[in-house]
Structures are given as structure tokens and as C-alpha cells.
Amino acid sequence: MRELVLGGQKSGKSRWAEGRAAQWLAADARHRAVLLATAQPRDAEMRARIERHRRERAARVPGLETLEVTGAELPQALERQSSPQALVVVDCLTLWLTQLAWPPGRAAAVELETLEPPMQALEQALQAVSGPVVLVGNEIGLGVIPLAAEVRAFVDALGRLNQRVAACCERVTLMVAGCPLTVKGSG
């Protein structure tokens, strides 16, 4: 089963995914769960945020292993970690796409057409997995239209990524204020 969990910032989507991992681990002693974390510590606030998330996640789901992945590594890491006995959580697709669009050391975004190959690689990896996957991402297309052309292009790219990933998933859940809304599949 592949599930995409979308929502706004602090909507409860990561907690939902962690809950799926906890259920998976509790169901069978042979199960394992791994979180592929895509955040990169580019400043002090993000370093502190990542550390806080590590501590809180370890307390909530002690058996959830965390691997940090960057950029183009995500599709390969997803395929490597996938097995019938392993649930893989990807948190989060929005940060992953952001890292690709604004790589470290670049003042401006890359041409967004260059995001097509990694998005296609992710789709292929999702179709090839042999075990359950829960992917977390932001739904940012519900807000105001940004003034900057670069940001509008990124919102469009993220919307396309979300649609493509949703097409690969049997279940799509939208989180609103900590409440799950089933968009596709059954709860």
C-alpha cells in the first residue's frame, strides 16, 4: 500500500505518517520502519528544528529508524529501503523538491524543467517498491497566488509532483487541523 499524506504546515501530516509506522511496527515483530528525512540544516533555526523533530520522533515511535537523504538520492533510497517487511516513510516531498529547486550555494532557483528527471525517477521508484510507503507533502496551492514568478513556478511544480505521486498511490489523505480526510482509497 502506498499512501500520500498532504496538508498545510502543522496540519498533523507527519504525526499521521508516524502513526502509520507505529501501527506497522506493532503488527509484527519482523516488521521494520524507516523514515527518509529530506530536510537539510541550512541555518541555525533549521538545525534546531531537525534536532527537535529527531527527539520527538524517537519518543513517539522508538523503532522508527531515520535516514537523511538529499536531492537526487531519494528515489534510490526509497527502492533500497523497500521490502515486504519494511514500511518506508518519506518526510517530506515539499522539502525534497525545494532542495532540488534551490540547491545549496545557488542564489537563484534552477530552471524548473530540470526537476522533471528527479520527479520521474521518484515515480518509477514508487512503482517499483515491494513494501508499504507513506509519503508526506505540503498542499500549498490553496493559498494566495504568490507575486514572484519563481515562487509561482515552484507552486506549479509542487502541484504537478503531488498529482503524479497521488496517481501512484492507492490512498491519499488530506490532513486539516490534525483530522484526516480520505481523498482516495479507504481509511
Side-chain angles (χ1 to χ4, degrees), residues 61-171:
V61 190
L64 180 61
E65 177 186 355
T66 299
L67 299 175
E68 295 178 10
V69 296
T70 59
E73 297 174 356
L74 179 60
Q76 296 84 2
L78 179 57
E79 286 188 71
R80 255 191 330 274
Q81 294 301 319
S82 177
S83 79
Q85 296 299 319
L87 177 129
V88 179
V89 176
V90 176
D91 196 357
C92 95
L93 293 176
T94 309
L95 282 174
W96 174 70
L97 195 63
T98 302
Q99 312 294 354
L100 293 171
W102 284 278
R106 277 189 68 115
V110 300
E111 294 297 320
L112 292 180
E113 299 79 43
T114 64
L115 300 177
E116 178 59 29
M119 287 196 294
Q120 188 172 28
L122 180 62
E123 269 184 293
Q124 291 169 347
L126 277 171
Q127 293 164 352
V129 295
S130 60
V133 178
V134 178
L135 304 111
V136 175
N138 291 81
E139 176 50 73
I140 63 173
L142 298 173
V144 298
I145 298 171
L147 293 176
E150 235 176 27
V151 179
R152 285 192 305 272
F154 179 78
V155 171
D156 290 348
L158 181 60
R160 285 192 299 277
L161 174 64
N162 287 345
Q163 288 182 46
R164 291 166 76 165
V165 170
C168 294
C169 292
E170 292 82 15
R171 181 183 301 144

Side-chain angles (χ1 to χ4, degrees), residues 34-70:
V34 61
L35 180 132
L36 301 179
T38 63
Q40 293 180 2
R42 292 189 181 180
D43 58 39
E45 186 275 334
M46 192 56 144
R47 279 189 291 283
R49 180 181 288 251
I50 289 169
E51 189 52 44
R52 186 181 77 247
H53 282 251
R54 284 180 188 147
R55 281 191 317 273
E56 291 173 357
R57 194 170 42 242
R60 284 190 298 268
V61 190
L64 180 61
E65 177 186 355
T66 299
L67 299 175
E68 295 178 10
V69 296
T70 59

